[in-house]
Coordinates of all heavy atoms in Angstrom, one line a residue:
M229 N -4.7 24.2 -21.0 CA -5.6 25.1 -20.4 C -6.9 24.4 -20.1 O -7.4 23.7 -21.0 CB -5.9 26.3 -21.3 CG -6.9 27.2 -20.8 SD -6.6 28.9 -21.3 CE -7.5 29.8 -20.2
L230 N -7.4 24.5 -18.9 CA -8.6 23.8 -18.5 C -9.8 24.6 -19.0 O -9.9 25.9 -18.9 CB -8.7 23.7 -17.0 CG -7.8 22.8 -16.4 CD1 -7.9 22.8 -14.9 CD2 -8.0 21.4 -16.8
K231 N -10.8 23.9 -19.6 CA -12.0 24.5 -20.0 C -13.2 23.9 -19.4 O -13.3 22.6 -19.4 CB -12.2 24.4 -21.6 CG -11.2 25.2 -22.3 CD -11.4 25.2 -23.8 CE -10.4 26.0 -24.5 NZ -10.6 25.9 -26.0
I232 N -14.0 24.7 -18.8 CA -15.3 24.2 -18.2 C -16.4 24.9 -18.9 O -16.5 26.1 -18.8 CB -15.3 24.5 -16.6 CG1 -14.1 23.9 -15.9 CG2 -16.6 24.0 -16.0 CD1 -14.1 22.4 -15.9
I233 N -17.2 24.1 -19.5 CA -18.4 24.6 -20.2 C -19.6 24.6 -19.2 O -20.0 23.6 -18.7 CB -18.8 23.8 -21.4 CG1 -17.6 23.8 -22.4 CG2 -20.0 24.3 -22.1 CD1 -17.7 22.8 -23.5
V234 N -20.0 25.8 -18.9 CA -21.2 26.0 -18.0 C -22.4 25.8 -18.8 O -22.7 26.5 -19.7 CB -21.1 27.4 -17.3 CG1 -22.3 27.5 -16.4 CG2 -19.8 27.6 -16.6
K235 N -23.2 24.8 -18.4 CA -24.4 24.5 -19.1 C -25.5 25.5 -18.7 O -25.5 26.1 -17.6 CB -24.9 23.0 -18.7 CG -23.8 22.0 -19.1 CD -24.1 20.7 -18.5 CE -23.0 19.7 -18.9 NZ -22.9 18.6 -18.0
E236 N -26.4 25.6 -19.6 CA -27.5 26.6 -19.3 C -28.3 26.2 -18.1 O -28.7 25.0 -18.0 CB -28.4 26.7 -20.5 CG -29.4 27.8 -20.4 CD -29.7 28.4 -21.8 OE1 -28.9 28.2 -22.7 OE2 -30.8 29.1 -21.9
G237 N -28.5 27.1 -17.2 CA -29.3 26.8 -16.0 C -28.4 26.1 -14.9 O -29.0 25.8 -13.8
E238 N -27.1 25.9 -15.1 CA -26.3 25.2 -14.1 C -25.9 26.2 -13.1 O -25.5 27.4 -13.4 CB -25.1 24.6 -14.8 CG -24.2 23.8 -13.9 CD -23.0 23.3 -14.5 OE1 -22.6 23.7 -15.6 OE2 -22.4 22.3 -14.0
N239 N -25.8 25.8 -11.8 CA -25.4 26.6 -10.7 C -23.9 26.9 -10.8 O -23.1 26.0 -11.2 CB -25.7 25.8 -9.4 CG -25.6 26.7 -8.2 OD1 -25.3 27.9 -8.3 ND2 -25.9 26.2 -7.1
I240 N -23.5 28.1 -10.5 CA -22.1 28.5 -10.7 C -21.2 27.7 -9.7 O -20.1 27.4 -9.9 CB -21.9 30.0 -10.5 CG1 -20.5 30.5 -10.9 CG2 -22.2 30.5 -9.1 CD1 -20.2 30.3 -12.4
E241 N -21.8 27.4 -8.5 CA -21.0 26.6 -7.5 C -20.7 25.2 -8.0 O -19.6 24.7 -7.8 CB -21.8 26.5 -6.2 CG -21.7 27.8 -5.3 CD -22.8 28.8 -5.7 OE1 -23.7 28.4 -6.4 OE2 -22.6 30.0 -5.4
R242 N -21.6 24.7 -8.8 CA -21.4 23.3 -9.4 C -20.3 23.4 -10.4 O -19.5 22.5 -10.5 CB -22.7 22.8 -10.0 CG -22.6 21.5 -10.6 CD -22.5 20.4 -9.5 NE -22.3 19.1 -10.2 CZ -21.6 18.1 -9.7 NH1 -21.0 18.2 -8.6 NH2 -21.5 17.0 -10.4
A243 N -20.3 24.4 -11.2 CA -19.3 24.6 -12.2 C -17.9 24.8 -11.6 O -16.9 24.3 -12.1 CB -19.6 25.8 -13.2
L244 N -17.9 25.6 -10.5 CA -16.6 25.8 -9.8 C -16.1 24.5 -9.2 O -14.9 24.2 -9.2 CB -16.8 26.8 -8.7 CG -16.7 28.3 -9.1 CD1 -17.1 29.2 -7.9 CD2 -15.3 28.6 -9.6
K245 N -17.0 23.7 -8.7 CA -16.6 22.4 -8.2 C -16.0 21.5 -9.2 O -15.0 20.8 -9.0 CB -17.8 21.7 -7.5 CG -17.5 20.4 -6.8 CD -18.7 19.9 -6.0 CE -18.4 18.7 -5.2 NZ -19.5 18.2 -4.5
R246 N -16.6 21.5 -10.4 CA -16.1 20.7 -11.5 C -14.7 21.2 -11.9 O -13.8 20.4 -12.2 CB -17.0 20.7 -12.7 CG -18.3 19.9 -12.5 CD -19.1 19.7 -13.8 NE -19.4 21.0 -14.4 CZ -19.4 21.2 -15.7 NH1 -19.1 20.3 -16.6 NH2 -19.7 22.4 -16.2
F247 N -14.5 22.5 -11.9 CA -13.2 23.1 -12.3 C -12.2 22.7 -11.3 O -11.1 22.3 -11.6 CB -13.3 24.6 -12.3 CG -12.0 25.3 -12.5 CD1 -11.4 25.3 -13.7 CD2 -11.4 25.9 -11.4 CE1 -10.1 25.9 -13.9 CE2 -10.1 26.5 -11.5 CZ -9.5 26.5 -12.8
K248 N -12.5 22.8 -10.0 CA -11.5 22.4 -8.9 C -11.1 21.0 -9.0 O -10.0 20.6 -8.8 CB -12.1 22.7 -7.6 CG -12.2 24.2 -7.2 CD -12.9 24.4 -5.9 CE -13.1 25.9 -5.6 NZ -13.7 26.1 -4.3
N249 N -12.1 20.1 -9.3 CA -11.8 18.7 -9.5 C -10.9 18.4 -10.7 O -9.9 17.7 -10.6 CB -13.1 17.8 -9.6 CG -13.8 17.6 -8.3 OD1 -13.2 17.7 -7.3 ND2 -15.1 17.4 -8.4
K250 N -11.1 19.1 -11.8 CA -10.3 18.9 -13.0 C -8.9 19.5 -12.7 O -7.9 18.9 -13.0 CB -10.8 19.7 -14.2 CG -11.7 18.9 -15.0 CD -12.0 19.6 -16.3 CE -12.9 18.8 -17.2 NZ -13.1 19.5 -18.5
Y251 N -8.8 20.6 -12.0 CA -7.5 21.2 -11.6 C -6.7 20.3 -10.7 O -5.5 20.1 -10.9 CB -7.8 22.6 -10.9 CG -6.5 23.3 -10.6 CD1 -5.8 24.0 -11.6 CD2 -6.0 23.4 -9.3 CE1 -4.7 24.7 -11.3 CE2 -4.8 24.1 -9.0 CZ -4.2 24.7 -10.0 OH -3.0 25.4 -9.8
R252 N -7.4 19.7 -9.7 CA -6.7 18.8 -8.8 C -6.2 17.5 -9.5 O -5.1 17.0 -9.2 CB -7.7 18.4 -7.7 CG -7.1 17.8 -6.5 CD -8.1 17.5 -5.4 NE -8.7 18.7 -4.9 CZ -10.0 19.0 -4.9 NH1 -10.9 18.1 -5.3 NH2 -10.5 20.1 -4.5
K253 N -6.9 17.0 -10.5 CA -6.5 15.8 -11.2 C -5.3 16.1 -12.1 O -4.6 15.2 -12.4 CB -7.7 15.3 -12.1 CG -8.8 14.6 -11.2 CD -9.9 14.1 -12.1 CE -11.0 13.5 -11.3 NZ -12.1 13.1 -12.1
T254 N -5.1 17.3 -12.6 CA -4.0 17.6 -13.4 C -2.7 17.7 -12.6 O -1.6 17.7 -13.2 CB -4.2 18.9 -14.2 OG1 -4.3 20.0 -13.2 CG2 -5.3 18.8 -15.1
K255 N -2.8 17.8 -11.3 CA -1.6 17.9 -10.4 C -0.7 19.1 -10.6 O 0.5 19.0 -10.5 CB -0.8 16.6 -10.4 CG -1.7 15.4 -9.9 CD -0.8 14.2 -9.8 CE -1.7 13.0 -9.4 NZ -0.9 11.8 -9.3
V256 N -1.3 20.2 -11.1 CA -0.5 21.4 -11.4 C 0.1 22.0 -10.1 O 1.3 22.3 -10.1 CB -1.4 22.5 -12.1 CG1 -0.7 23.8 -12.3 CG2 -1.9 22.0 -13.4
L257 N -0.7 22.1 -9.1 CA -0.2 22.6 -7.8 C 1.0 21.8 -7.3 O 1.9 22.3 -6.7 CB -1.3 22.8 -6.8 CG -1.0 23.6 -5.6 CD1 -0.7 25.0 -6.0 CD2 -2.2 23.6 -4.7
Y258 N 0.8 20.5 -7.4 CA 1.8 19.5 -6.9 C 3.1 19.7 -7.6 O 4.2 19.8 -7.0 CB 1.3 18.1 -7.1 CG 2.4 17.0 -6.7 CD1 2.6 16.7 -5.4 CD2 3.1 16.4 -7.7 CE1 3.5 15.8 -5.0 CE2 4.0 15.4 -7.4 CZ 4.2 15.1 -6.0 OH 5.2 14.2 -5.7
T259 N 3.1 19.9 -8.9 CA 4.4 20.1 -9.7 C 5.0 21.4 -9.4 O 6.2 21.5 -9.3 CB 4.1 19.9 -11.2 OG1 3.1 20.8 -11.6 CG2 3.7 18.5 -11.5
L260 N 4.1 22.5 -9.2 CA 4.7 23.8 -8.8 C 5.4 23.8 -7.5 O 6.5 24.3 -7.4 CB 3.6 24.8 -8.8 CG 3.0 25.3 -10.1 CD1 1.9 26.3 -9.9 CD2 4.1 26.0 -10.9
R261 N 4.8 23.1 -6.5 CA 5.5 23.0 -5.2 C 6.7 22.2 -5.3 O 7.7 22.4 -4.6 CB 4.5 22.4 -4.2 CG 3.4 23.4 -3.8 CD 2.5 22.8 -2.8 NE 1.5 23.8 -2.4 CZ 0.4 23.5 -1.7 NH1 0.1 22.2 -1.4 NH2 -0.5 24.4 -1.4
D262 N 6.7 21.1 -6.1 CA 7.8 20.2 -6.2 C 9.0 20.9 -6.8 O 10.2 20.7 -6.5 CB 7.4 19.0 -7.0 CG 8.5 17.9 -7.0 OD1 9.0 17.7 -5.9 OD2 8.7 17.3 -8.0
K263 N 8.8 21.9 -7.8 CA 9.8 22.5 -8.5 C 10.4 23.8 -7.8 O 11.3 24.4 -8.2 CB 9.3 22.9 -9.9 CG 9.1 21.8 -10.8 CD 8.7 22.2 -12.2 CE 8.5 21.0 -13.0 NZ 8.2 21.3 -14.4
Q264 N 9.8 24.1 -6.6 CA 10.3 25.3 -5.9 C 11.7 25.1 -5.4 O 12.4 26.1 -5.2 CB 9.3 25.6 -4.7 CG 8.1 26.3 -5.1 CD 7.2 26.7 -3.9 OE1 7.4 26.2 -2.8 NE2 6.2 27.5 -4.2
Q265 N 12.1 23.9 -5.1 CA 13.5 23.6 -4.7 C 13.9 22.3 -5.3 O 13.2 21.4 -5.6 CB 13.6 23.5 -3.2 CG 13.0 22.3 -2.6 CD 13.1 22.3 -1.1 OE1 12.9 23.3 -0.4 NE2 13.5 21.2 -0.5
Y266 N 15.2 22.3 -5.5 CA 15.8 21.1 -6.2 C 15.9 19.9 -5.2 O 16.3 20.1 -4.0 CB 17.3 21.4 -6.7 CG 18.0 20.3 -7.3 CD1 17.6 19.9 -8.6 CD2 18.9 19.6 -6.6 CE1 18.2 18.8 -9.2 CE2 19.6 18.5 -7.2 CZ 19.2 18.1 -8.5 OH 19.8 17.0 -9.1
S267 N 15.6 18.8 -5.7 CA 15.8 17.6 -4.9 C 16.6 16.6 -5.8 O 16.3 16.4 -7.0 CB 14.5 17.0 -4.5 OG 13.6 16.8 -5.6
K268 N 17.6 15.9 -5.1 CA 18.4 15.0 -5.8 C 17.6 13.8 -6.3 O 16.6 13.4 -5.7 CB 19.5 14.5 -4.9 CG 20.4 15.6 -4.5 CD 21.6 15.2 -3.6 CE 21.6 13.9 -3.0 NZ 22.7 13.6 -2.1
P269 N 18.1 13.2 -7.4 CA 17.3 12.0 -7.9 C 17.2 10.9 -6.9 O 16.2 10.2 -6.9 CB 18.2 11.6 -9.2 CG 18.8 12.9 -9.6 CD 19.1 13.7 -8.3
S270 N 18.3 10.7 -6.1 CA 18.2 9.7 -5.1 C 17.1 10.0 -4.0 O 16.5 9.1 -3.6 CB 19.6 9.5 -4.4 OG 20.0 10.7 -3.8
E271 N 17.0 11.3 -3.7 CA 15.9 11.6 -2.8 C 14.5 11.4 -3.4 O 13.6 10.9 -2.7 CB 16.0 13.1 -2.4 CG 17.2 13.4 -1.5 CD 17.4 14.9 -1.3 OE1 16.6 15.7 -1.9 OE2 18.2 15.3 -0.4
V272 N 14.4 11.7 -4.6 CA 13.1 11.4 -5.3 C 12.8 10.0 -5.3 O 11.6 9.5 -5.0 CB 13.1 12.0 -6.7 CG1 11.9 11.6 -7.5 CG2 13.3 13.5 -6.7
R273 N 13.8 9.1 -5.7 CA 13.5 7.7 -5.7 C 13.2 7.2 -4.3 O 12.3 6.3 -4.1 CB 14.8 6.9 -6.2 CG 14.9 7.0 -7.7 CD 16.0 6.0 -8.2 NE 17.3 6.2 -7.5 CZ 18.3 7.0 -8.0 NH1 18.1 7.7 -9.2 NH2 19.4 7.1 -7.4
R274 N 13.9 7.7 -3.3 CA 13.6 7.2 -1.9 C 12.2 7.6 -1.5 O 11.5 6.8 -0.9 CB 14.6 7.9 -0.9 CG 14.5 7.3 0.5 CD 15.5 7.9 1.4 NE 16.8 8.2 0.9 CZ 17.4 9.4 0.8 NH1 16.8 10.4 1.3 NH2 18.6 9.5 0.3
K275 N 11.8 8.8 -1.8 CA 10.5 9.3 -1.5 C 9.4 8.4 -2.2 O 8.4 8.0 -1.5 CB 10.3 10.8 -1.8 CG 9.0 11.3 -1.4 CD 8.8 12.8 -1.8 CE 9.7 13.7 -1.1 NZ 9.4 15.1 -1.5
N276 N 9.6 8.1 -3.4 CA 8.7 7.3 -4.2 C 8.6 5.9 -3.6 O 7.5 5.3 -3.5 CB 9.0 7.2 -5.6 CG 8.8 8.5 -6.4 OD1 8.0 9.4 -5.9 ND2 9.4 8.8 -7.5
K277 N 9.7 5.4 -3.2 CA 9.8 4.0 -2.6 C 9.0 4.0 -1.3 O 8.2 3.1 -1.0 CB 11.2 3.6 -2.4 CG 11.4 2.2 -2.0 CD 12.8 1.8 -1.9 CE 13.0 0.3 -1.5 NZ 14.4 -0.1 -1.4
E278 N 9.2 5.1 -0.4 CA 8.5 5.2 0.8 C 7.0 5.3 0.6 O 6.2 4.6 1.3 CB 9.0 6.4 1.6 CG 10.3 6.2 2.2 CD 10.9 7.5 2.8 OE1 10.2 8.5 2.8 OE2 12.0 7.4 3.4
K279 N 6.6 6.0 -0.4 CA 5.1 6.1 -0.7 C 4.6 4.8 -1.1 O 3.4 4.4 -0.8 CB 4.9 7.1 -1.9 CG 5.0 8.6 -1.4 CD 4.7 9.5 -2.6 CE 4.9 10.9 -2.3 NZ 4.7 11.8 -3.4
A280 N 5.3 4.0 -1.9 CA 4.9 2.7 -2.4 C 4.7 1.8 -1.2 O 3.8 1.0 -1.2 CB 5.8 2.2 -3.5
I281 N 5.7 1.8 -0.3 CA 5.6 0.9 0.9 C 4.4 1.3 1.7 O 3.7 0.4 2.1 CB 6.9 1.0 1.7 CG1 8.1 0.4 0.9 CG2 6.8 0.4 3.0 CD1 9.4 0.6 1.5
Y282 N 4.2 2.6 1.9 CA 3.0 3.0 2.7 C 1.7 2.5 2.0 O 0.8 2.0 2.7 CB 3.0 4.5 2.9 CG 1.8 5.1 3.5 CD1 1.7 5.0 4.9 CD2 0.8 5.6 2.8 CE1 0.6 5.5 5.5 CE2 -0.4 6.1 3.4 CZ -0.5 6.0 4.8 OH -1.6 6.5 5.4
R283 N 1.6 2.8 0.7 CA 0.4 2.4 0.0 C 0.2 0.9 0.1 O -1.0 0.5 0.3 CB 0.6 2.8 -1.5 CG -0.7 3.0 -2.2 CD -0.5 3.5 -3.6 NE 0.4 4.7 -3.7 CZ 1.5 4.8 -4.4 NH1 1.9 3.7 -5.1 NH2 2.2 5.9 -4.4
E284 N 1.2 0.1 0.0 CA 1.1 -1.4 0.0 C 0.6 -1.8 1.4 O -0.3 -2.6 1.5 CB 2.4 -2.0 -0.3 CG 2.4 -3.5 -0.3 CD 1.6 -4.0 -1.5 OE1 1.5 -3.4 -2.5 OE2 1.0 -5.1 -1.4
R285 N 1.2 -1.2 2.5 CA 0.8 -1.6 3.8 C -0.7 -1.2 4.1 O -1.4 -1.9 4.7 CB 1.7 -0.9 4.8 CG 3.0 -1.5 5.0 CD 3.8 -0.8 6.0 NE 5.2 -1.4 6.1 CZ 6.2 -0.8 6.6 NH1 6.1 0.4 7.1 NH2 7.4 -1.3 6.6
Y286 N -1.1 0.0 3.5 CA -2.4 0.5 3.7 C -3.4 -0.5 3.0 O -4.4 -0.9 3.6 CB -2.6 1.9 3.2 CG -4.0 2.4 3.2 CD1 -4.5 2.8 4.4 CD2 -4.8 2.5 2.1 CE1 -5.8 3.3 4.5 CE2 -6.0 3.0 2.1 CZ -6.6 3.4 3.3 OH -7.8 3.9 3.4
L287 N -3.1 -0.9 1.8 CA -4.0 -1.8 1.1 C -4.1 -3.1 1.7 O -5.2 -3.8 1.8 CB -3.6 -1.9 -0.4 CG -3.7 -0.6 -1.2 CD1 -3.1 -0.8 -2.6 CD2 -5.2 -0.2 -1.3
R288 N -3.0 -3.6 2.3 CA -3.0 -4.9 3.0 C -3.8 -4.8 4.2 O -4.5 -5.8 4.6 CB -1.6 -5.4 3.3 CG -0.9 -5.9 2.1 CD 0.4 -6.5 2.5 NE 1.1 -7.0 1.3 CZ 2.3 -7.6 1.4 NH1 3.0 -7.7 2.5 NH2 2.9 -8.0 0.3
S289 N -3.8 -3.7 4.9 CA -4.6 -3.5 6.2 C -6.1 -3.5 5.8 O -6.9 -3.9 6.7 CB -4.2 -2.3 6.9 OG -4.6 -1.1 6.2
L290 N -6.5 -3.0 4.7 CA -7.9 -3.0 4.3 C -8.4 -4.4 4.0 O -9.5 -4.8 4.2 CB -8.1 -2.1 3.1 CG -7.9 -0.7 3.3 CD1 -8.1 0.1 1.9 CD2 -8.9 -0.1 4.3
E291 N -7.5 -5.3 3.5 CA -7.9 -6.7 3.2 C -8.2 -7.5 4.4 O -9.0 -8.4 4.3 CB -6.8 -7.3 2.3 CG -6.6 -6.8 0.9 CD -5.4 -7.4 0.2 OE1 -4.7 -8.2 0.8 OE2 -5.3 -7.1 -1.0
E292 N -7.5 -7.2 5.5 CA -7.6 -8.0 6.7 C -8.9 -7.8 7.4 O -9.7 -7.0 7.2 CB -6.5 -7.7 7.7 CG -5.2 -8.2 7.1 CD -4.0 -7.7 8.0 OE1 -4.3 -7.0 9.0 OE2 -2.9 -8.2 7.8

């Protein structure tokens, strides 16, 4: 469970922003969407490999 301690005098929008960032970092929504339907292990490996290739190409393009 996520806990956000609102400091005295802190703006509620700022506290909500901190909560959203923590929630995003836990990847809860990502796992919920991923579990909505079954995907074969080979599909998962293929998807992860494609992501890694994309990431590598992106990082190399930044170096140039």
